[in-house]
Amino acid sequence: MVQRVSSTRVFARLAPHVVPALDRTVHRLTRGRVLLSARLLPGAILTATGARSGLPRRTPLACLPDGDGGWLLIGSNFGRPGHPAWTGNLLKHPEAEMNWRGRDIPVRARLLTGAERARAWRAAVARWPPYAAYQARVAREIRLFRLERR
């Protein structure tokens, strides 16, 4: 049921205004121990340098841990037309920090392309089928990043 609801255009319109703000608040109040959206998908807080401002930007994100101690981030933007700002930040400033289960971990982001992106996309859709609905709604290719520990 949750996956069906999260695939809708109404959810795509409302969620970007509600989910991140709620996640940031709960994460801060619990000192990094709780991230509400992580009840559906693994979640973390990404701190990246703003592409234009140069200031730190904290963004709660769903992520997929990989077997090598890194993470896959999906720039779905809830199926909205534009790329989420955090993806532009990582393109310009790939060194960032992930707060994973209450621990700050320095990471380096790499945009996935080609066969590597195709494999990662299949894994993402297998874990969360609404990603396929998001991609079907937008003309842009959803950006996927692999984050590796520094």
Side-chain angles (χ1 to χ4, degrees):
M1 163 121 167
V2 171
Q3 288 183 5
R4 262 197 313 267
V5 169
S6 68
S7 295
T8 66
R9 291 181 190 275
V10 171
F11 182 83
R13 239 185 334 269
L14 298 176
H17 304 289
V18 176
V19 174
L22 189 58
D23 264 346
R24 273 192 291 272
T25 300
V26 171
H27 189 263
R28 187 179 61 250
L29 292 173
T30 63
R31 294 189 171 102
R33 291 186 308 275
V34 176
L35 197 60
L36 290 180
S37 62
R39 302 294 183 230
L40 301 174
L41 281 170
I45 301 285
L46 173 71
T47 302
T49 302
R52 290 187 293 222
S53 70
L55 298 173
R57 301 294 184 200
R58 293 175 53 84
T59 309
L61 298 171
C63 63
L64 300 176
D66 67 21
D68 298 330
W71 299 268
L72 176 65
L73 296 181
I74 298 97
S76 69
N77 205 13
F78 298 98
R80 293 172 20 184
H83 291 290
W86 64 264
T87 67
N89 295 343
L90 288 180
L91 288 173
K92 184 158 184 187
H93 303 286
E95 293 196 354
E97 188 174 89
M98 283 281 279
N99 184 283
W100 176 249
R101 297 182 177 159
R103 290 184 39 233
D104 291 328
I105 301 167
V107 295
R108 178 170 286 112
R110 183 170 51 82
L111 180 66
L112 301 183
T113 59
E116 185 180 22
R117 185 200 179 279
R119 281 189 305 278
W121 179 252
R122 284 190 300 273
V125 170
R127 179 66 172 89
W128 188 249
Y131 286 138
Y134 298 165
Q135 183 62 79
R137 261 202 311 266
V138 297
R140 67 182 173 89
E141 181 178 72
I142 291 176
R143 293 175 178 161
L144 274 66
F145 288 85
R146 171 121 16 246
L147 270 61
E148 298 161 344
R149 295 170 190 256
R150 287 189 273 144

